[in-house]
Amino acid sequence: MNKVLRNPVAYLIFVVPALALYVTFYIVPLFSSLRYSVTSWNGINEPVFNGIENFLKALQDEKFWIGFKNNVYFVGFSLIIQVPIIIAVGIIISRAKKMLGLYKVSVFLPSVLSTAAVGIIWQFIYQPDAGLLNQLLRATGFADVAKPWLGNPDTAMTAVLVANAWQWTGFYIVLVLAAIFAIPSEVLEAAEIDGAVGFKKAWHITVPLIRSVIVVVMLLSITGAMKALDIVLIMTSGGPFGSSEVMATYMYKQAYSAGEYGYANAIAIIIFVFTSVVTLIFHLFSRRVEEVKY
């Protein structure tokens, strides 16, 4: 094994295939998108260079900014509502004495489903007449609250966010559980001896010790929210009246409905830049917090 590790060819055998896949499916498409983003192209004729016209058009496009606002809403929902639930549920499940495997499988199961299946399931749940949600509201005396959740501009985006959270919360909970189980039992026992139990133990011992995993969960939530596409297309297609449109769905429509492939590629580059900037800011902020704390 030592001879193998000292042989540069061994590194090439393992690195080159992964690097080739990375270049083929990430670097090349990225530069291709960048190339077409500065052209006027309908996907058929030859692209015509138009400089930064597509980017200026996006910055002046009201519908694009509605999509941007909904992406920010997506990020805020993930960080403010979804992440605390993930941490809380992860801590609760970690304390289970029996059927721990069942709990882990139960919360993880939705993330195994395809987004198409999740979207269709929640469309049935939100269905105005026969949907499970409205049926429960009517059965429990809250008939006035029942409404067409996906057909109402005031509730469509929130309804999509709940469905998306239902699909991915379990995946993040499993990550949090893995971090909790990696905490040395001696640390937890010492904390209990010192009187740290219940909420105090969770807040002052468990959460600080899994902070690095929480940061990863938040980063994944941010990147997922900024590039959200499939769940919105399936459930609302950006409607009603564009109230649930996000940048990625608007990009998709510009390409495949309007035939504005150059403009769509410009939007894709803007999404990439926004996501990179937000991720970088969050990363720097989290590092700054760590430095101040320690």
Side-chain angles (χ1 to χ4, degrees):
M1 179 59 71
N2 290 333
K3 290 181 179 179
V4 171
L5 293 176
R6 287 196 296 266
N7 188 349
V9 177
Y11 289 95
L12 289 175
I13 292 174
F14 288 103
V15 172
V16 169
L19 185 62
L21 290 173
Y22 178 76
V23 171
T24 302
F25 294 104
Y26 182 76
I27 300 298
V28 172
L30 178 62
F31 279 95
S32 176
S33 183
L34 184 61
R35 171 197 169 194
Y36 289 119
S37 69
V38 293
T39 65
S40 176
W41 185 43
N42 61 6
I44 300 175
N45 298 329
E46 282 294 317
V48 178
F49 178 78
N50 63 1
I52 61 171
E53 183 179 322
N54 291 329
F55 295 95
L56 295 176
K57 179 180 177 181
L59 296 178
Q60 299 170 0
D61 191 338
E62 182 181 353
K63 292 183 179 180
F64 170 79
W65 286 110
I66 291 174
F68 175 77
K69 179 195 71 175
N70 285 333
N71 275 111
V72 173
Y73 188 18
F74 229 115
V75 172
F77 184 91
S78 299
L79 297 182
I80 298 172
I81 298 178
Q82 188 176 351
V83 170
I85 292 174
I86 290 166
I87 297 170
V89 175
I91 292 173
I92 292 171
I93 293 178
S94 69
R95 295 180 179 177
K97 302 299 182 182
K98 296 180 180 180
M99 297 189 296
L100 177 61
L102 176 63
Y103 297 141
K104 290 168 68 175
V105 171
S106 298
V107 298
F108 186 74
L109 188 60
S111 63
V112 178
L113 301 175
S114 69
T115 304
V118 171
I120 292 171
I121 289 170
W122 280 90
Q123 277 184 325
F124 280 115
I125 292 174
Y126 289 131
Q127 209 277 336
D129 299 318
L132 177 62
L133 180 56
N134 282 347
Q135 290 283 11
L136 287 175
L137 291 172
R138 296 187 184 104
T140 53
F142 294 96
D144 293 340
V145 181
K147 62 185 69 178
W149 300 95
L150 296 178
N152 188 329
D154 296 328
T155 58
M157 192 64 206
T158 303
V160 172
L161 292 176
V162 170
N164 183 74
W166 178 82
Q167 180 180 13
W168 295 111
T169 295
F171 173 77
Y172 297 134
I173 288 174
V174 171
L175 294 181
V176 170
L177 281 171
I180 293 174
F181 290 141
I183 298 174
S185 58
E186 296 83 359
V187 175
L188 300 177
E189 291 171 1
E192 291 176 358
I193 292 172
D194 290 338
V197 294
F199 178 78
K200 287 184 178 180
K201 178 182 174 183
W203 182 253
H204 295 289
I205 305 298
T206 305
V207 171
L209 290 175
I210 64 171
R211 184 179 287 110
S212 59
V213 173
I214 293 174
V215 170
V216 170
V217 169
M218 295 175 76
L219 282 172
L220 290 175
S221 298
I222 290 171
T223 56
M226 290 299 292
K227 62 182 183 181
L229 169 66
D230 41 8
I231 190 72
V232 179
L233 274 180
I234 292 164
M235 293 187 67
T236 65
S237 192
F241 311 114
S243 60
S244 62
E245 196 84 79
V246 291
M247 289 189 291
T249 59
Y250 188 58
M251 172 199 72
Y252 177 89
K253 291 177 181 178
Q254 290 301 306
Y256 297 106
S257 297
E260 295 283 347
Y261 286 90
Y263 184 41
N265 276 282
I267 295 174
I269 295 299
I270 293 173
I271 294 173
F272 173 78
V273 172
F274 276 152
T275 305
S276 301
V277 170
V278 172
T279 303
L280 178 61
I281 291 173
F282 177 80
H283 179 68
L284 294 175
F285 175 76
S286 62
R287 285 188 59 184
R288 180 62 178 168
V289 170
E290 289 290 330
E291 291 173 0
V292 171
K293 194 171 185 65
Y294 296 104

